[in-house]
Amino acid sequence: LEFRRVLFRSGRVSCIPSPKGRYVPEANATESLPCPIGQVQPKQGAVECVPVEPGYYAPERGLAYALPCPEGSYAPEGTKVNTACLDADPGHYVPKPGATEQLACAKGTYQPLRGKSTCLPAPKGNYVPNVKAIAYLECPIGEYQPDEGQFSCVSVQPGFYAPIRGLSAAVPRSEEHTS
């Protein structure tokens, strides 16, 4: 343990340990220093501060403990100083606090915005064929999609048709239009 020296009015010198979030880098110091941004010190009487763990950040000086990155953001492995978290990119999400990586949106889902904790399902009549999508696609003419969150459309069956893009159901051919 490192202590800082304190001179009392009586002339007596005593040492006290540095508080959490602070450190004393050299012997016979008269004051402790706050941990820099991106580092913490959870113990008393420390000689140095420690970098925060991946998935966490220390946004201000003098913190004893790091804060977990909130949902929608992450702090990756290998980051030397975590002063802030990174927002999830469009087409990605981060579902839990304290994450070290972002996750790609699966087929059938998309996310157009940064910093989100979920991906959105493709609406009925639409689909998302790829991972990491930032938008959905309308089902083409001749196909439809009755469900949300799908990665493909359904071809119309005989006796039905899909005359426009983005349909959630095929349209029955009427008796007068069939030959």
Side-chain angles (χ1 to χ4, degrees):
L1 290 178
E2 280 297 316
F3 298 88
R4 66 183 176 102
R5 293 167 33 120
V6 177
L7 179 62
F8 292 97
R9 285 189 183 158
S10 66
R12 189 176 62 115
V13 174
S14 181
C15 295
I16 59 170
S18 61
K20 294 177 180 182
R22 300 181 72 87
Y23 70 109
V24 179
E26 47 191 63
N28 296 318
T30 57
E31 64 182 16
S32 63
L33 302 172
C35 290
I37 293 173
Q39 296 185 14
V40 295
Q41 184 44 260
K43 298 177 183 174
Q44 290 184 321
V47 295
E48 63 185 3
C49 296
V50 295
V52 299
E53 295 292 319
Y56 291 78
Y57 71 114
E60 57 191 62
R61 293 168 35 116
L63 292 179
Y65 302 99
L67 306 170
C69 292
E71 292 178 356
S73 67
Y74 66 105
E77 300 273 351
T79 305
K80 288 189 177 188
V81 179
N82 290 342
T83 59
C85 299
L86 302 173
D87 284 339
D89 294 324
H92 295 79
Y93 69 108
V94 179
K96 297 179 181 178
T100 59
E101 63 185 0
Q102 62 183 348
L103 304 173
C105 291
K107 290 180 179 182
T109 66
Y110 69 103
Q111 181 49 260
L113 304 174
R114 297 182 72 76
K116 295 298 178 179
S117 61
T118 61
C119 294
L120 306 168
K124 292 178 180 182
N126 299 278
Y127 69 108
V128 178
N130 302 312
V131 297
K132 302 180 186 177
I134 61 171
Y136 57 85
L137 303 171
E138 289 182 320
C139 289
I141 292 173
E143 296 182 6
Y144 67 100
Q145 181 47 259
D147 300 315
E148 291 185 339
Q150 300 301 308
F151 61 88
S152 64
C153 297
V154 179
S155 294
V156 295
Q157 298 299 313
F160 293 85
Y161 72 116
I164 60 172
R165 298 172 59 85
L167 287 180
S168 62
V171 178
R173 292 192 184 274
S174 64
E175 296 275 333
E176 66 260 11
H177 288 102
T178 56
S179 38

